[in-house]
């Protein structure tokens, strides 16, 4: 990695350093940004960069040696005299947009300067950051955090400032203690999620300034909320590196590595195999990005997008090791986590095993696609098995305990997880394009409407949701409330299963799609409609119940451990038309019947039980408390010395503490 440690006595790196093929001629072109009234880049001052000694293909210029007067300067590079094709700095930490994109550097007292930011009041006693076993993640597409006017394609964009002042206190009240930010580094995808980074060291110009992103992180930390950055390292879109030194950093269609990689999503794929000199400049670039986000923005972890597409386990492991080292050096003892999104669902990347690079895990954790899919099958009655395949009860155990995962493509079990911090479980993620991926409220409500002679389309569900007070009929209101009740049950499973739970923004109160999620553009431009939190008393009730469950998940000792015991399945659970009742206990590692255990009773079938009898280990019912109960249902009552009864509506889950 090139040496970026040349700092002045204020601790500021004084050089601008960029890559280009050896022998290139590079110039810095710049002007005081206050001279915009006389904007003329052709007339700006130009200074020549020099080749870095003993580092072929790197060029630099020392800003402190230029004798500049104080000011904020916009700058760009000219390569080989191409004055009409200026190139921005791919390492710029602050950017501007005026007739193109450029970096900004600042001079004070004749030397390079950086706007100071105080982290001294970053934490408040009692709001400490939770460890990985206590995390509940809120997946936040920043662009979705500002509701669009009149349900239209998104116009107003979410910004760091808007989230701080409009949403953080509500997320704190909900109990969220980690936010996974969809990409916030600058991207040309203004109306989309940002999965095509342009400037890897600067926040998105439409979301806010560097100081505003730092303020956002600090305000999260003051509320005990960790911030995990979603980083895109498979590809880049309009990144200046491509203009400066394409062949060293990116793949052509002829490169052998290209056939071993995934989709480029219309962007440029980074090169991860060694170049002709045996060097890996992309590795250095991405490691430096991680270091910068940790030291400058106090990142508490990363989510690696498109692990499958990168397809380089050695690099990912190196990224994980380097990020951990930098973080612990900067913030000893603070929790940290690297999460991968592997759509090939290989839990072994989180394992210490001989077949992994260096016999170690490649990443700490990964999105558990299998949990989402199995849970949705559970609530749609589609948990099907065939002769010779694992039983329904086995698959139910795997979904909850996570020690194995079900692959519905191959129809077999695959290795799972041996610690809850290795799996990020969720009901919905931002990837909502397919019908089996859409928002969980749409997934639950659509079949209920279809079965009663209504339509379960995006437009019809939106209409019902927005006309609950006036317009919708009694049956539609009932079905909407029933879907919210089933969503409460889904949250009961999510927040009591073994894994790190993640909640997509808006799911906590049952938000629905406004735009066609099948359209790959529209699905990214469909912000949360925050008014729906109070669309009906049922929406607000769901939010309150989710808050109860989150408090249980983060505070109860049984849920921060792995031990799980299934203690009941209905005798007909594995029959196609049989009753689908199950009970499991998060035991806290002690025998059944002890205090401080969690008992989950679920009915994932269409049978309606007004009084279901269960063997029960916790007969002091005065000490048993139901968490986030359904609005209607018979309470737990004792039958005899060893059994109880309770009501279980179709597709209903109930949670008890002992």
């Amino acid at each position: 990695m090139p040496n970026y440690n040349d700092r002045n006595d204020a601790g500021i790196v004084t050089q601008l350093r960029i890559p280009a093929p050896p022998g290139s001629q590079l110039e810095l072109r710049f002007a005081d940004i206050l001279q915009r009234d006389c904007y003329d880049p052709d007339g700006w001052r130009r200074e020549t960069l020099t080749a870095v000694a003993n580092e072929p293909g790197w060029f630099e210029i020392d800003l402190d040696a230029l004798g500049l007067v104080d000011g904020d300067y916009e700058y760009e590079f000219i390569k080989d005299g191409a004055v009409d094709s200026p190139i921005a700095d791919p390492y710029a930490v602050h950017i501007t947009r005026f007739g193109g994109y450029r970096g900004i550097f600042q001079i004070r007292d004749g030397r390079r300067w950086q706007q100071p930011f105080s982290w001294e009041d970053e934490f408040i006693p009692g709001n400490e950051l939770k460890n990985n076993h206590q995390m509940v993640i809120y997946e936040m597409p920043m662009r979705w955090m500002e509701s669009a006017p009149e349900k239209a394609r998104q116009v107003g964009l979410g910004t760091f400032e808007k989230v701080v002042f409009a949403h953080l206190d509500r997320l704190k009240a909900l109990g969220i203690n980690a936010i996974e930010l969809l990409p916030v580094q600058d991207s040309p995808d203004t109306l989309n999620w940002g999965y095509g980074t342009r400037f890897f060291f600067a926040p998105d110009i439409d979301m806010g300034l560097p100081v505003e992103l730092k303020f956002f992180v600090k305000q999260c930390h003051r509320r005990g909320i960790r911030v995990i950055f979603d980083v895109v390292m498979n590809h880049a879109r309009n990144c200046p590196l491509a203009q400066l030194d394409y062949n060293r950093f990116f793949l052509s269609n002829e490169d052998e590595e290209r056939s071993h990689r995934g989709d480029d999503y219309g962007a440029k794929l980074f090169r991860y195999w060694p170049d002709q000199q045996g060097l890996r400049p992309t590795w250095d670039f991405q490691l430096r990005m991680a270091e910068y986000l940790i030291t400058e923005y106090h990142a508490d972890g990363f989510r690696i997008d498109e692990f499958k597409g990168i397809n380089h386990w050695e690099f990912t492991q190196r990224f994980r090791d380097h990020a951990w080292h930098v973080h612990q050096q900067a913030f000893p003892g603070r929790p940290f986590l690297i999460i991968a999104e592997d759509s090939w669902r290989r839990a072994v990347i989180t394992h210490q095993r001989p077949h992994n690079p260096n016999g170690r895990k490649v990443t700490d954790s990964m999105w558990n696609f299998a949990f989402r899919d199995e849970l949705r099958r559970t609530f749609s009655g589609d948990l099907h098995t065939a002769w010779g395949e694992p039983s329904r009860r086995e698959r139910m155990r795997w979904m909850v305990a996570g020690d194995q995962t079900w692959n519905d493509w191959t129809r077999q079990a695959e290795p799972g997880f041996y610690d809850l911090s290795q799996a990020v479980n969720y009901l919905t993620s931002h990837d909502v394009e397919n019908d089996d991926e859409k928002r969980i409220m749409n997934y639950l409500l659509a079949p209920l409407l279809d079965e009663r002679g209504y339509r379960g389309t995006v437009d019809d569900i939106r209409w019902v949701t927005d006309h609950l007070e006036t317009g919708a009929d009694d049956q539609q209101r009932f079905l909407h409330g029933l879907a919210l009740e089933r969503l409460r049950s889904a949250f009961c499973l999510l927040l009591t299963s073994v894994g790190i739970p993640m909640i997509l923004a808006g799911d906590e109160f049952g938000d629905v799609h406004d735009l066609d999620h099948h359209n790959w553009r529209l699905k990214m431009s469909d912000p949360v409609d925050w008014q729906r939190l109070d669309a009906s008393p049922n929406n607000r009730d769901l939010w309150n119940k989710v808050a109860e469950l989150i408090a249980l998940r983060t505070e109860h000792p049984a849920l921060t451990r792995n031990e799980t015991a299934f203690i009941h399945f209905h005798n007909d659970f594995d029959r196609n038309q049989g009753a689908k009742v199950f009970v499991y206990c998060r035991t806290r590692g002690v025998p059944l019947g002890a205090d401080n255990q969690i008992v989950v009773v679920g009915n994932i079938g269409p049978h309606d039980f007004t009084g279901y009898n269960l063997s029960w280990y916790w007969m002091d019912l005065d000490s048993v408390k139901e968490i986030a109960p359904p609005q209607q249902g018979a309470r737990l009552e004792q039958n005899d010395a060893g059994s109880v009864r309770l009501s279980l509506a179709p597709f209903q889950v109930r949670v008890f503490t002992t």
Side-chain angles (χ1 to χ4, degrees), residues 14-57:
T14 65
Q15 283 89 1
L16 297 177
R17 183 177 293 192
I18 58 170
S24 299
Q25 300 296 315
L26 290 163
E27 294 176 285
L28 174 69
R29 186 166 77 176
F30 62 99
D32 192 317
I33 203 167
L34 294 180
Q35 297 176 2
R36 284 268 176 87
D37 56 337
C38 302
Y39 180 78
D40 180 18
D42 290 338
W44 289 358
R45 179 174 168 180
R46 288 158 65 173
E47 296 287 346
T48 301
L49 278 72
T50 59
V52 178
N54 301 318
E55 294 184 24

Side-chain angles (χ1 to χ4, degrees), residues 497-564:
S497 292
V498 179
I500 298 172
M502 182 179 75
I503 300 170
L504 176 65
D507 273 2
E508 69 273 19
F509 58 84
D511 195 20
V512 298
H513 294 293
D514 287 301
L515 304 177
D516 181 8
H517 61 89
H518 302 100
N519 183 304
W520 72 271
R521 292 185 184 278
L522 295 181
K523 73 174 184 178
M524 294 188 277
S525 304
D526 189 358
V528 177
D529 188 337
W530 301 103
Q531 294 181 355
R532 291 186 180 132
L533 174 56
D534 291 306
S536 73
N538 291 330
N539 291 87
R540 174 61 72 170
D541 181 68
L542 174 64
W543 189 95
N544 290 331
K545 298 293 174 58
V546 172
E548 281 189 63
L549 290 164
I550 291 175
L552 184 74
R553 173 62 183 81
T554 58
E555 297 169 6
H556 199 285
L559 295 180
T560 59
R561 301 170 57 109
N562 301 309
E563 299 90 351
T564 306

Side-chain angles (χ1 to χ4, degrees), residues 313-360:
W313 292 27
E314 291 85 356
F315 163 73
T316 305
Q317 186 183 76
R318 175 73 178 116
F319 180 89
R320 182 244 171 227
D321 293 347
H322 182 71
W324 263 95
H325 173 75
V326 170
H327 188 268
Q328 292 308 300
Q329 288 285 106
F331 313 112
R334 236 188 245 186
F336 193 72
L337 191 70
I338 303 292
I339 304 166
E341 178 234 10
D342 181 19
S343 54
W344 281 352
R345 309 176 181 214
R346 295 164 290 187
V348 293
I349 66 176
T350 68
H351 296 181
Q352 308 283 8
R353 67 168 195 147
H355 295 296
N356 285 353
N358 303 303
R360 296 187 291 106

Side-chain angles (χ1 to χ4, degrees), residues 377-441:
R377 295 182 193 111
T378 294
F379 278 90
S380 60
D382 292 329
L383 200 67
H384 300 307
T385 61
W387 182 259
E389 292 181 350
S391 66
R392 287 183 179 87
R393 64 183 66 195
E394 286 178 298
R395 287 173 58 182
M396 196 71 202
R397 286 193 187 102
W398 297 340
M399 185 190 80
V400 171
D403 51 342
Q404 294 194 73
T405 60
W406 174 251
N407 187 325
D408 207 54
W409 302 325
T410 63
R411 304 298 297 175
Q412 62 186 11
E414 295 185 346
F417 309 94
Y418 52 79
D419 185 77
L420 70 86
S421 66
Q422 295 173 326
V424 175
N425 298 335
Y426 56 95
L427 308 178
T428 319
S429 77
H430 67 275
D431 284 319
V432 293
E433 186 168 342
N434 297 324
D435 278 330
D436 57 357
E437 299 172 321
K438 61 190 175 186
R439 273 199 181 273
I440 187 66
M441 183 61 178

Side-chain angles (χ1 to χ4, degrees), residues 288-331:
R288 187 182 174 204
M289 172 200 69
E291 183 171 341
Y292 190 79
L293 292 176
I294 291 168
T295 56
E296 287 294 318
Y297 291 100
H298 293 204
D300 302 299
F302 296 109
R303 182 255 191 192
I304 300 174
D305 179 64
E306 194 59 20
F307 174 89
K308 170 179 68 71
I310 296 171
N311 196 27
H312 204 301
W313 292 27
E314 291 85 356
F315 163 73
T316 305
Q317 186 183 76
R318 175 73 178 116
F319 180 89
R320 182 244 171 227
D321 293 347
H322 182 71
W324 263 95
H325 173 75
V326 170
H327 188 268
Q328 292 308 300
Q329 288 285 106
F331 313 112

Side-chain angles (χ1 to χ4, degrees), residues 3-8 11-15 17 60 62:
N3 179 19
Y4 296 98
N5 293 324
D6 297 325
R7 301 174 183 267
N8 58 29
I12 308 298
V13 176
T14 65
Q15 283 89 1
R17 183 177 293 192
E60 69 180 1
D62 188 343

Side-chain angles (χ1 to χ4, degrees), residues 81-94:
V83 294
D84 293 331
S85 301
I87 305 171
D89 183 358
Y91 294 88
V93 299
H94 188 182

